[in-house]
Amino acid sequence: MLILFSFLLYFQLFVFVSPSSGETGIGKSTLMNTLFNTLFEAEEASHYQNGVYLRPRTYDLKESNVQLKLTVVDTVGFGDQINKEESFKPIVDYIDTQFETYLQEEMKIKRSLFDYHDTRIHICLYFIAPTGHSLKSLDLVTMKKLDSKVNIIPIIAKADTISKSELHKFKIKIMSELVSNGVQIHQFPTEDEAVTEINSSMNAHLPFAVVGSVEEVKVGNKMVKARLYPWGTVQVENESHCDFVKLREMLLRVNMEDLREQTHARHYELYRRCKLEELGFTDTDPDNKPFSLQETYEAKRKEFLGDLQHKEDEMRQMFVNKVKETEAELKEKERELHERFEQLKRMHQEEKRNLEEKRSDLEEEMNAFNRRKVAAETLMGQSLQGSSQPFRKDKKSFFSLPSACSLTAGRNLN
């Protein structure tokens, strides 16, 4: 996790907080409260973030005759993602944005840098979890990306959780890994004779092992900021217990002006130079003649217009090619549809022909059936006529028989 500062007269202090390993509760808020002897807003962030986003808060502090503007920027979600490859990018972009804002103000025709609200970052306090082992890859990658943009001071948080011997070995291990990976942390200046001795001593204590607490505990006859444990008390401002006092002295009292100068003369100037070189500005032309802003502007404008025309031609050609491809695709689809239509048309004609043939067969069958029906009815009618006459004769004889019988009977009776 990182904490970044920027200073102005009146002092502007910019604080940037970013968890190096994604864990909550490493002591960032507590240390800030202890360092500035106040209580800041604390909002615990969730570990289930889709990406990294920055959440700034600004406070106006005052101690004696010193006014301090403090901005705390919490990088929510840093290190929480499974893929941490781009976790540092929002942080780098944020720092570059502050440089760019200052550069834009500096390049104005009517500029006002005297009362300009400068948000450039002067210090990065990078919090390291007190594991006692090596630095994590994310820590090394992030610090490597930031060392050319801000003054980095590594901090071992909650130093009271590891023993004194382990802490000493851990400090040596951290410095060794930083050197072997080419990470350039901030070294307090030793050129000024007034601070040479103290800064040399403080450089030897890096990274600072700190403990934070706003709790007042009675030790002897006085109240001190400390952490109370069953086995004893860790005093925050006791230099034999932690490096909190060293950090406060170096950060807020001895080297504040140097940190401002380092930010402006080194990090901002590097950004400014790279930015102007991208725009085509140089100190001298190829013939070592004095630099002409007008010529550079015209050359850059011509180059820009050329690039614009080139991109326009490319886009036009891409559009033409896309239209041709679309036309070819449409023609192919039209051909396929036409073939499909002809196929369906042939199938329809074939089905129609089959239906006509079936219809003809059915009509022939119906005609044949009707002929057979008429023949059957005719035959049945003839057979009925032929059998009706004998039936009448027999009927008459049948009904005449009883009369004859009765006559015969009558004769017999007589």
Side-chain angles (χ1 to χ4, degrees), residues 313-348:
D313 294 340
E314 287 183 348
M315 292 180 65
R316 184 180 291 108
Q317 186 62 37
M318 288 174 60
F319 177 75
V320 172
N321 294 337
K322 192 67 176 178
V323 169
K324 290 181 179 179
E325 291 176 2
T326 305
E327 288 180 350
E329 291 176 359
L330 290 174
K331 288 181 179 180
E332 180 65 21
K333 291 182 182 293
E334 183 181 3
R335 184 185 62 79
E336 292 177 356
L337 289 173
H338 183 71
E339 291 179 356
R340 180 66 177 167
F341 173 75
E342 292 295 330
Q343 182 182 3
L344 292 174
K345 185 178 179 180
R346 288 193 296 270
M347 291 173 62
H348 174 70

Side-chain angles (χ1 to χ4, degrees), residues 124-142:
C124 166
L125 293 183
Y126 199 99
F127 278 59
I128 300 170
T131 60
H133 303 292
S134 60
L135 290 170
K136 297 180 181 180
S137 299
L138 180 60
D139 295 331
L140 293 170
V141 171
T142 303

